[in-house]
């Protein structure tokens, strides 16, 4: 027994209708920096849901320390 | 206009302009692609052309003014991100899961369901461990996938051949018969906006 390995270039994945590659591309679309503004959730290249968001870019350590500082008053 | 992300220096490219904000430049396209997938294709095109940038999520639509304000407020974080992602892209490794959505279909007693759920989680942990072994030495993170376990790996552009050769060499030795899909080199979206640990492969 062994792993059956498939290699797919980004160009292949972006144009493929194979379910595995469509899911891979959808997964990538969920990432990247998100700042205040609008966000569309997408599945298989169909824009489905709109959200208004207000998030920030920061390390988890920074958020944890800020939270601790805030709770200490 | 479409705000693409950030760069540290102005890079003239067709259809693209930059707006200087402090030590950074906001990267902007004149034309907005007509879908999120088209946005991803454009990000990938810029990455493939050699541009190093921190990408905004393709699902994000923001005004240039919001992007400028955000840049002023988070200058240091963005500079750190650009530095951490410099000359790097990501591979995405997807290992097909043996169980649907990782949740056993069996209904029955609660105890048997829980036992099955624990077993499924154990299998997923093993699968993720296997993927990280294939990418040993590189920064990796688990991301969501449908009916699969997925691991995104941050790889220097010049290491692409090395990584592919290693996977080709090592994958047959793993004692599991499952489908592994390897895709890359992608613009490092999964690592943009993340805290990048120090000490990973340079």
């Amino acid at each position: 027994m062994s792993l059956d390995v498939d290699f797919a270039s980004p160009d292949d994945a972006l144009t493929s209708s194979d379910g595995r590659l469509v899911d891979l591309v959808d997964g990538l679309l969920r990432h990247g920096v998100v700042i205040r503004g609008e966000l569309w959730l997408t599945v298989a290249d169909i824009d489905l849901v709109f959200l208004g968001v207000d998030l920030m870019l920061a390390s988890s350590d920074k958020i944890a320390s800020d939270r601790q500082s805030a709770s200490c008053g | 206009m479409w705000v693409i992300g950030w760069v540290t220096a102005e890079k003239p490219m067709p259809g693209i302009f930059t707006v200087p904000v402090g030590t950074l430049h906001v990267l902007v396209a004149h034309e907005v692609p007509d879908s999120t997938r088209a946005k991803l294709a454009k990000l990938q095109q810029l990455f493939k052309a050699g541009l190093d940038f921190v990408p905004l999520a393709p699902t994000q639509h923001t005004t240039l003014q919001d992007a400028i304000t955000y840049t002023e407020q988070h200058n240091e974080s963005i500079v750190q991100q650009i530095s951490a992602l410099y000359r790097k892209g990501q591979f995405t490794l997807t290992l097909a899961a043996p169980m649907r959505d990782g949740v056993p279909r069996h209904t029955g007693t609660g105890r048997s369901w829980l036992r099955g759920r624990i077993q499924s989680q154990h299998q997923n942990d093993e699968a993720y461990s296997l993927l990280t072994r294939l990418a040993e030495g590189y920064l990796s993170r688990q991301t969501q996938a449908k009916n699969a376990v997925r691991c995104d790996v941050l790889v220097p552009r010049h290491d692409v051949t090395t990584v592919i050769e290693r996977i080709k060499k090592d994958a047959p030795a793993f004692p599991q018969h499952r489908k592994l899909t390897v895709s890359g080199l992608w613009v490092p979206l999964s690592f943009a906006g993340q805290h990048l640990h120090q000490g990973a492969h340079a």
Side-chain angles (χ1 to χ4, degrees):
Chain A
M1 291 203 292
S2 66
L3 292 180
D4 179 13
V5 186
D6 265 355
F7 290 91
S9 72
D11 289 343
D12 291 341
L14 281 164
T15 53
S16 174
S17 56
D18 181 310
R20 287 171 305 125
L21 296 179
V22 169
D23 182 59
L24 188 152
V25 170
D26 283 347
L28 282 165
L29 292 175
R30 286 192 285 266
H31 296 108
V33 176
V34 176
I35 63 177
R36 183 162 57 93
E38 302 166 352
L39 186 70
W40 287 90
L41 299 185
T42 300
V43 174
D45 206 23
I46 299 168
D47 293 336
L48 290 178
V49 182
F50 166 79
L51 297 170
V53 294
D54 193 352
L55 301 176
M56 62 177 287
L57 168 69
S59 74
S60 51
D61 297 343
K62 175 80 167 62
I63 291 171
S65 65
D66 285 354
R67 193 176 291 159
Q68 198 169 18
S69 305
S71 65
C72 291
Chain B
M1 280 192 305
W2 168 43
V3 178
I4 298 173
W6 297 269
V7 289
T8 48
E10 193 174 1
K11 298 267 171 47
M13 299 187 98
I16 305 287
F17 66 98
T18 58
V19 178
V21 183
T23 57
L24 289 165
H25 292 257
V26 179
L27 193 62
V28 187
H30 289 289
E31 306 230 341
V32 185
D34 56 9
S35 71
T36 49
R37 187 170 286 231
K39 285 183 177 177
L40 176 59
K42 183 65 182 176
L43 294 179
Q44 185 61 27
Q45 185 190 339
L46 293 171
F47 173 75
K48 202 172 170 181
L51 187 67
D52 282 299
F53 62 106
V54 170
L56 208 62
T59 47
Q60 167 99 66
H61 175 73
T62 190
T63 64
L64 179 56
Q65 187 52 54
D66 278 349
I68 289 171
T69 305
Y70 183 85
T71 309
E72 288 166 347
Q73 292 170 348
H74 300 90
N75 191 285
E76 192 184 337
S77 297
I78 300 168
V79 169
Q80 283 173 2
Q81 286 269 314
I82 290 177
S83 168
L85 299 178
Y86 183 70
R87 306 307 297 159
K88 290 175 186 159
Q90 74 173 66
F91 270 106
T92 294
L93 312 182
T94 309
L95 190 62
M99 286 190 206
R100 187 176 177 79
D101 288 331
V103 179
R105 290 180 183 181
H106 172 73
T107 54
T109 66
R111 177 179 289 191
S112 66
W113 185 88
L114 277 176
R115 195 173 289 140
R117 187 71 187 84
I118 290 166
Q119 187 186 0
S120 170
Q121 184 59 50
H122 182 63
Q123 286 173 341
N124 279 346
D125 290 346
E126 278 186 341
Y128 179 63
S129 164
L130 190 155
L131 291 179
T132 53
R133 273 157 58 202
L134 285 174
E136 200 172 342
Y138 298 99
L139 183 64
S140 62
R141 62 182 298 253
Q142 188 168 6
T143 49
Q144 287 186 336
K146 188 179 175 186
N147 301 333
V149 175
R150 179 167 294 148
C151 172
D152 294 331
V153 185
L154 191 63
V155 174
R157 288 181 193 249
H158 60 76
D159 271 5
V160 168
T161 309
T162 307
V163 172
I164 289 176
E165 289 305 317
R166 186 204 286 183
I167 291 171
K168 280 181 181 169
K169 177 174 161 286
D170 292 351
F174 284 98
Q176 296 192 29
H177 187 68
R178 289 164 76 171
K179 186 94 170 173
L180 172 67
T181 304
V182 179
S183 185
L185 194 69
W186 286 94
V187 57
L189 274 165
S190 301
F191 297 90
Q194 296 291 323
H195 175 58
L196 300 176
H197 298 283
Q198 301 300 312
H201 198 287

